[in-house]
Amino acid sequence: MACPRVHDAIVIGGGYFGIRVAEYLVTRGGLHDVVLIEAEAELMSRASLRNQGRVHGGYHYTRSWTTAMGSRINLPRFVDEYRECLREPVTSIYAVSRRNSKINGAQFQRFCQRIGAPAAPAPESVVRLFEPQMVDGVFVVEEPVLDVDRFAEVCRDIIAKLGIAVYLRTRVVDLRENASGWVELSTEGALESRSFAARRVYQCTYSGLGALRQGRSPGRFLKHELAELAVVHAPAELQGMAITVVDGSFFSLLPHGSGDEHSLSHVRYTPGKAWGHQPNVDPYAQLVAAEPASRFDHMVRAGSRYLPALSRCNYLRSIFEIKTVLAGNESDDGRPILYLPDTPVRGCTSILGGKLDNVYDVLARLAEHSATSLDPPTSASEAVGPAGVAEREGEPE
């Protein structure tokens, strides 16, 4: 077989992070020959699209100062870039649970003050929506919600306008460093199998990060869970509202898409089967094989104890997806990035972001590590992963 052409860079994974990395390599790195490989039939079709669309303002992360401050720093930049994708108008509400919560209403207010996140007592018309014996404070906050369908369109346009070569329905099955020091990939596609080579490769495949078994797998840092997002039609008094109850019950009702639908999630019932990294287990294959049943009834019963009107939601459908987080941050709900140069092989960088605004932390790491160098690597780079992030606890991500 003839040797494959050597590209400047290859990005594996056509979700939000893969798209932004490819964009950076062209617009900031000055590369002209960048290839984007995606296993699905369309860019932005998995986790980047199948989520609640919350643009985090830090309110979620009362147990992780680093993540909360990182959200506050990244929020204005994200809003400025994607203003056309934000749902308008949306009233964002946070209520603090009296049950099984590690904070109370006063502590939530102090936390918001410390991170510079606006939180005002909600008007009486909003407070009356909640069961008073179940919540300890209701607040109006500033936390936008994305129209995820519009967001996906805008991200796909980035690639189209830059003229980046895209290979859809193409799955990477093997990745290795060749004798010349470049990274070589073997792929399987709907129509053909082929090989690629590049000076640098960036693996942005989210739950699929550990699927390739060569070298040092980034999968050892990951935990996967089968997650359900219920899509509902909310009653009139909840329309246009983004409601989250923290810290114990932790459920959310957010506007979804561009219409009048809402998404519903619950900390107890949204997660299904969970597992750590298993080298021979493809997380996405687990999703296909699971044939999960909806737990909407459990979500709505638990949530309506706090928000009685929730009981009148009409169930429409469920979105099932694999959610992947760093196993080391389960206890504090932190969402640092995973950025591992020369993993799984030299010349390949594995990248994971836990929330959309993490992309700016990824772009900063790309700049720090001179990621656009066209020379083949000469020595193993430092792996900047969960341990490296933990050492910076107390600083913005």
Side-chain angles (χ1 to χ4, degrees):
M1 180 182 296
C3 293
R5 169 185 168 188
V6 179
H7 301 276
D8 291 340
I10 294 173
V11 179
I12 309 171
Y16 179 55
F17 282 80
I19 286 173
R20 290 303 303 268
V21 167
E23 177 194 32
Y24 176 94
L25 296 173
V26 173
T27 61
R28 298 283 299 278
L31 303 187
H32 302 289
D33 185 10
V34 175
V35 171
L36 181 60
I37 298 176
E38 167 58 36
E40 301 297 326
E42 190 173 26
L43 301 179
M44 292 287 293
S45 58
R46 295 301 303 250
S48 298
L49 177 65
R50 307 173 72 159
N51 61 72
Q52 286 198 294
R54 187 194 304 273
V55 184
H56 280 282
Y59 304 97
H60 247 57
Y61 300 110
T62 57
R63 288 180 278 176
S64 177
W65 171 261
T66 302
T67 300
M69 283 302 302
S71 296
R72 293 308 306 168
I73 291 169
N74 290 332
L75 177 64
R77 186 174 175 185
F78 190 92
V79 168
D80 185 60
E81 280 199 74
Y82 296 103
R83 194 173 301 276
E84 65 181 297
C85 303
L86 302 181
R87 286 286 304 254
E88 297 285 356
V90 169
T91 302
S92 293
I93 303 295
Y94 271 68
V96 180
S97 173
R98 291 185 186 272
R99 307 290 179 90
N100 303 316
S101 181
K102 296 185 178 181
I103 60 169
N104 57 34
Q107 290 170 325
F108 180 77
Q109 281 188 297
R110 288 197 295 271
F111 166 78
C112 292
Q113 290 170 356
R114 287 185 66 205
I115 66 171
E124 184 60 29
S125 59
V126 172
V127 173
R128 284 199 299 268
L129 294 172
F130 293 86
E131 173 57 52
Q133 301 303 313
M134 299 295 288
V135 297
D136 185 41
V138 183
F139 305 93
V140 178
V141 305
E142 294 183 6
E143 191 168 67
V145 178
L146 280 173
D147 175 343
V148 290
D149 296 318
R150 177 62 182 144
F151 178 59
E153 291 175 5
V154 168
C155 292
R156 291 170 189 140
D157 284 346
I158 291 172
I159 298 301
K161 289 176 180 177
L162 290 174
I164 294 172
V166 178
Y167 291 84
L168 299 174
R169 298 187 180 91
T170 302
R171 185 179 301 277
V172 176
V173 295
D174 183 60
L175 185 153
R176 59 199 173 276
E177 181 187 3
N178 67 20
S180 299
W182 313 129
V183 183
E184 193 166 336
L185 290 69
S186 297
T187 68
E188 293 178 349
L191 300 177
E192 62 176 342
S193 298
R194 59 180 300 163
S195 295
F196 295 83
R199 294 164 169 83
R200 286 288 186 274
V201 171
Y202 301 89
Q203 189 181 197
C204 307
T205 53
Y206 191 56
S207 298
L209 273 184
L212 300 175
R213 296 189 291 276
Q214 296 86 349
R216 298 180 301 150
S217 171
R220 64 191 186 278
F221 295 117
L222 308 180
K223 177 189 173 184
H224 310 289
E225 63 186 29
L226 178 61
E228 176 188 8
L229 196 62
V231 180
V232 305
H233 187 271
E237 61 265 45
L238 301 182
Q239 282 291 328
M241 300 184 74
I243 298 174
T244 301
V245 174
V246 296
D247 164 72
S249 182
F250 232 136
F251 72 88
S252 295
L253 179 77
L254 270 65
H256 182 74
S258 57
D260 60 358
E261 297 177 349
H262 282 64
S263 63
L264 177 64
S265 67
H266 191 285
V267 70
R268 183 178 300 168
Y269 301 113
T270 285
K273 175 184 176 182
W275 66 97
H277 175 60
Q278 301 174 35
N280 296 316
V281 176
D282 178 356
Y284 295 123
Q286 292 286 96
L287 175 61
V288 172
E291 298 183 358
S294 174
R295 297 204 282 181
F296 164 75
D297 288 345
H298 297 284
M299 293 184 203
V300 79
R301 278 200 298 269
S304 61
R305 296 172 59 208
Y306 295 82
L307 190 66
L310 198 65
S311 64
R312 291 185 280 108
C313 281
N314 292 323
Y315 174 76
L316 301 176
R317 62 187 181 279
S318 286
I319 299 170
F320 292 96
E321 188 53 272
I322 300 296
K323 179 180 178 180
T324 296
V325 298
L326 296 179
N329 290 97
E330 283 191 281
S331 60
D332 65 4
D333 288 332
R335 292 293 181 267
I337 65 170
L338 183 73
Y339 188 97
L340 295 172
D342 297 326
T343 305
V345 300
R346 195 169 62 153
C348 179
T349 298
S350 292
I351 296 170
L352 175 83
K355 51 192 179 67
L356 294 174
D357 65 90
N358 277 152
V359 74
Y360 302 117
D361 306 315
V362 168
L363 299 183
R365 291 290 176 85
L366 282 170
E368 289 173 9
H369 288 85
S370 301
T372 59
S373 169
L374 296 185
D375 296 325
T378 57
S379 63
S381 302
E382 175 188 5
V384 183
V389 172
E391 290 173 2
R392 301 176 62 175
E393 186 69 32
E395 304 175 12
E397 288 181 81

